[in-house]
Amino acid sequence: MKCMSCKYGEMEEAKTTYFAQLNDCYVIIENVPCMKCSQCGDEFLKSSAAEKIDDILDGIEKIASKIYILDYATAA
Ligand SMILES: [Zn+2]
């Protein structure tokens, strides 16, 4: 799979840290599986990971906390 940004690099399996800002809190999810370009470093979340993050964020919105940090592997 070629990179969609630079159209040159190969996309490789990698882990990234996902950052989101909700209404009044910040969420950081570590170790999210993604595809990363070997050339330009662009990252794309896998669709399965994007769906799971949506679920995680839905749950977190109900928790009154300013900053929330969690590990993708243990957030299921
Ligand atoms: Zn690239």
Side-chain angles (χ1 to χ4, degrees):
M1 180 180 164
K2 292 286 183 199
C3 173
M4 286 184 280
S5 293
C6 66
K7 309 208 182 334
Y8 181 70
E10 283 290 333
M11 301 305 285
E12 296 171 343
E13 300 250 347
K15 294 268 172 70
T16 190
T17 299
Y18 181 88
F19 179 83
Q21 184 175 359
L22 302 179
N23 289 334
D24 1 278
C25 71
Y26 301 96
V27 180
I28 297 162
I29 306 173
E30 298 179 321
N31 296 318
V32 178
C34 70
M35 302 302 286
K36 183 171 185 172
C37 175
S38 59
Q39 288 295 320
C40 69
D42 245 29
E43 293 173 344
F44 299 92
L45 288 187
K46 296 181 176 185
S47 55
S48 60
E51 282 175 21
K52 183 169 169 180
I53 286 172
D54 273 352
D55 287 348
I56 294 170
L57 295 181
D58 271 358
I60 288 172
E61 266 185 320
K62 300 175 182 79
I63 302 170
S65 176
K66 273 287 172 201
I67 300 174
Y68 203 82
I69 302 171
L70 65 157
D71 195 297
Y72 182 88
T74 58

